[in-house]
């Protein structure tokens, strides 16, 4: 399976001739990520994970491509494009697609502040390998992910929580997501600490630049 990271939390996965795109948001290269996509999965409705204008434009041009997401995303897409091929994604489900098996975990976005309402967020494990948590520190239960996409910086987290999350998931390979708000100095600091403080737990942390790909 080929993984390509785009800016922030957008990731493109290719397997057996099929393409799945996760969280094509407003900070990302949405058109590039969605080019030729067969499936879209969106963890939650926040615009840095769901660029409604560009995703809906893609759906208009590609009505056969299904979109899996929590209800808030589906409502927004269906309002603008009633005929869109959308399917509700909730926690503790298995979605079988050609080339991909999706298992879903968690149900809430991490707390930003008590004054900010909590919304639905669904993490997804792809092919028992790649776990994308969206905006949460949900640990997938009943299975150990091989690859973790770790949100390394956000208004809702701090570095110690990122390190604890990476250790808790225990995926042998970790790549960063949710990182577009970081300047280079801050990114280097966080990545160095995550690398050094998780290696004793069998974790390899590897930086990926936008549009860089790896084979899993």
């Amino acid at each position: 399976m080929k993984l390509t990271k785009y800016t922030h939390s957008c990731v493109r996965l290719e397997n057996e001739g099929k393409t799945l795109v996760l969280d094509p948001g407003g900070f990302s290269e949405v058109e590039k990520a969605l080019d030729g996509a067969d499936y879209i999965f969106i963890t939650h409705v926040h615009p840095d994970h769901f660029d409604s204008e560009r995703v809906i434009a893609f759906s208009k041009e590609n009505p056969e491509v299904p979109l899996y997401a929590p209800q808030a995303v589906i409502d927004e897409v269906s309002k603008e494009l009633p005929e869109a091929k959308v399917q509700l994604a909730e926690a503790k489900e298995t979605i079988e697609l050609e080339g991909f098996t999706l298992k879903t975990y968690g149900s809430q976005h991490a707390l930003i502040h008590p004054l900010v309402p909590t919304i639905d967020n669904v993490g997804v494990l792809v092919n028992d390998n790649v776990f994308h948590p969206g905006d949460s520190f949900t640990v997938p239960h009943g299975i150990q992910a091989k690859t973790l996409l770790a949100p390394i910086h956000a208004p809702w987290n701090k570095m110690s929580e990122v390190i604890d999350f990476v250790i808790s998931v225990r995926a042998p390979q970790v790549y960063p997501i949710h990182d577009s708000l970081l300047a280079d100095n801050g990114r280097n600091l966080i990545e160095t600490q995550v690398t050094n403080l998780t290696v004793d737990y069998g974790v390899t942390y590897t930086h990926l630049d936008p549009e860089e790909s790896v084979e899993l």
Side-chain angles (χ1 to χ4, degrees):
M1 182 163 56
K2 179 180 179 181
L3 181 153
T4 304
K5 181 196 184 303
Y6 290 89
T7 304
H8 205 52
S9 288
C10 181
V11 174
R12 177 183 172 106
L13 297 171
E14 298 170 65
N15 189 53
E16 298 178 355
K18 296 295 182 179
T19 298
L20 166 67
V21 177
L22 309 176
D23 280 6
F27 297 157
S28 307
E29 302 82 357
V30 172
E31 288 82 5
K32 288 183 180 180
L34 289 177
D35 185 26
D38 298 289
Y39 318 105
I40 303 170
F41 189 99
I42 296 172
T43 61
H44 64 286
V45 75
H46 284 165
D48 57 324
H49 294 254
F50 167 49
D51 186 319
S52 60
E53 182 177 346
R54 290 191 284 178
V55 170
I56 291 171
F58 175 85
S59 294
K60 286 180 180 179
E61 296 180 2
N62 303 272
E64 75 286 357
V65 176
L67 183 152
Y68 300 83
Q71 190 64 54
V73 175
I74 290 177
D75 290 345
E76 192 164 333
V77 173
S78 298
K79 180 180 178 180
E80 297 296 324
L81 191 66
E83 66 274 23
K85 193 173 182 180
V86 293
Q87 182 169 322
L88 180 64
E90 297 181 298
K92 298 183 179 181
E93 293 183 337
T94 298
I95 303 169
E96 295 288 352
L97 306 173
E98 187 176 349
F100 302 99
T101 297
L102 312 182
K103 296 178 181 178
T104 56
Y105 297 86
S107 60
Q108 288 189 335
H109 190 288
L111 180 66
I112 299 172
H113 189 275
L115 296 177
V116 179
T118 302
I119 63 168
D120 291 339
N121 178 94
V122 178
V124 61
L125 177 67
V126 181
N127 290 355
D128 289 346
N129 185 338
V130 180
F131 183 56
H132 190 310
D135 278 7
S136 77
F137 284 141
T138 295
V139 176
H141 57 273
I143 189 170
Q144 181 177 345
K146 300 174 183 177
T147 306
L148 171 63
L149 304 175
I152 64 170
H153 178 265
W156 48 269
N157 74 24
K158 55 186 179 181
M159 188 170 62
S160 64
E161 295 171 332
V162 174
I163 292 166
D164 286 345
F165 175 61
V166 171
I167 291 171
S168 295
V169 176
R170 293 290 181 95
Q173 180 63 62
V174 176
Y175 298 109
I177 58 171
H178 215 287
D179 53 357
S180 67
L181 298 182
L182 284 168
D184 288 342
N185 287 340
R187 183 191 311 277
N188 292 338
L189 172 63
I190 292 173
E191 292 194 324
T192 297
Q193 295 288 0
V194 173
T195 299
N196 292 341
L197 296 177
T198 63
V199 67
D200 287 344
Y201 296 88
V203 173
T204 298
Y205 179 92
T206 305
H207 172 81
L208 288 179
D209 289 323
E211 302 188 48
E212 187 174 354
S213 299
V214 292
E215 292 289 339
L216 305 177

